Amino acid sequence: LSATLMLLLAACSKSEPDSNVVTTPEDTTTIVEALAGVNDQGLKDCITSNAAEFEFRFIIDIVNLNCVSKGILDLTGIEAFIYITDLDLSNGGQPYNDFSDISPLSNLGNLEVLKLNYLRQLVNIEALSSLDTIRDFSIRNSRLTSIVGLENKPRLEILDLSENGINDLSPLAISSGSQTSLRQLRLADGCDCNSNTISDLSALANHVNLESLVNNSSAVTDISALANLTKMIDLSLRYN
């Protein structure tokens, strides 16, 4: 019996992790190596400071990246940071981010949260077409005139398009029975600034999980398309 017990204890001790062992991530691409492809100093500084704060060495460590108001003019090179899930490139003051090309983001296949608010040069988001992982997307108060690029986003739950120049929601249209996760949609808050003028809500007819819709100060005259959205608990259509 004692011999059996000794064997069991030996087996258990072997299964315990060695706290002194340094593990190497599957992807050993270093942040320094990836930064070689980043041209913009503001973007480079943002990534570098993020890595330094948390003592990150590898690109696999960069998951959340906040680059609000870093004076970024060019996103080239960010495509190497493929493990980013949460990215904020908005403006909140000076120095302003002032880029218009977001095509490097098309390679970020793990992206779930993306914020592109108050970007006055951004008019096109077609580069997002290939990203089907996004859950939360905000692009309020920019100069967007088209939402082409938001087609086929079955995981998208929260969408804020407020205060742009959008008048067509058709890229959001889905067929009856299609998978949809969209719960919250903001189109216009009702301020006097540049605003969307959306009159046709038919593209939302099959988004059966929609709970909140804000479209103030727009041009809606017919809400029959919302008739089957039985989960709606917050509907704001003031000043239409």
Side-chain angles (χ1 to χ4, degrees):
L1 181 61
S2 59
T4 303
L5 182 59
M6 290 178 67
L7 287 172
L8 288 171
L9 289 172
C12 289
S13 65
K14 288 181 180 179
S15 65
E16 293 179 359
D18 187 342
S19 59
N20 295 319
V21 173
V22 177
T23 58
T24 301
E26 287 184 23
D27 190 336
T28 57
T29 305
T30 67
I31 293 169
V32 172
E33 290 171 334
L35 282 173
V38 176
N39 299 326
D40 186 275
Q41 191 61 49
L43 180 57
K44 187 173 292 188
D45 290 345
C46 178
I47 296 172
T48 300
S49 62
N50 181 272
E53 180 180 359
F54 299 102
E55 299 183 350
F56 291 153
R57 290 182 55 209
F58 303 97
I59 64 168
I60 198 170
D61 297 320
I62 303 291
V63 177
N64 301 316
L65 187 61
N66 185 329
C67 292
V68 173
S69 295
K70 299 298 183 181
I72 299 170
L73 306 179
D74 181 4
L75 294 179
T76 300
I78 200 172
E79 63 270 19
F81 294 84
I82 57 176
Y83 299 100
I84 294 176
T85 62
D86 190 326
L87 178 62
D88 194 341
L89 294 166
S90 304
N91 275 320
Q94 295 182 344
Y96 296 119
N97 294 335
D98 203 21
F99 53 84
S100 59
D101 180 12
I102 62 170
S103 58
L105 301 184
S106 64
N107 198 50
L108 303 184
N110 292 301
L111 198 59
E112 297 181 6
V113 179
L114 177 61
K115 299 186 186 303
L116 300 172
N117 300 316
Y118 301 96
L119 297 172
R120 307 307 289 169
Q121 299 299 320
L122 190 54
V123 298
N124 188 306
I125 57 170
E126 289 186 45
L128 303 183
S129 295
S130 61
L131 301 180
D132 61 3
T133 55
I134 295 179
R135 295 184 297 101
D136 184 343
F137 178 47
S138 177
I139 187 171
R140 62 184 296 121
N141 217 311
S142 293
R143 294 189 182 274
L144 201 62
T145 57
S146 168
I147 59 171
V148 171
L150 292 184
E151 304 91 338
N152 303 316
K153 297 286 183 286
R155 301 182 189 181
L156 185 61
E157 299 178 24
I158 302 171
L159 179 59
D160 189 346
L161 302 170
S162 302
E163 319 315 335
N164 282 279
I166 303 164
N167 57 26
D168 179 19
L169 294 179
S170 59
L172 294 180
I174 57 174
S175 57
S176 179
S178 296
Q179 181 182 349
T180 173
S181 302
L182 190 62
R183 297 185 294 105
Q184 299 177 27
L185 176 60
R186 298 188 75 89
L187 298 173
D189 287 333
C191 70
D192 293 330
C193 51
N194 181 42
S195 186
N196 303 322
T197 54
I198 297 166
S199 59
D200 185 0
L201 300 177
S202 59
L204 306 180
N206 293 315
H207 285 280
V208 294
N209 292 311
L210 195 62
E211 299 174 355
S212 176
L213 172 62
V214 177
N215 189 30
N216 299 321
S217 294
S218 199
V220 176
T221 58
D222 182 3
I223 61 171
S224 59
L226 308 180
N228 295 322
L229 305 187
T230 57
K231 295 185 178 181
M232 185 80 71
I233 56 176
D234 179 15
L235 177 62
S236 181
L237 299 171
R238 291 177 295 172
Y239 314 123
N240 278 277

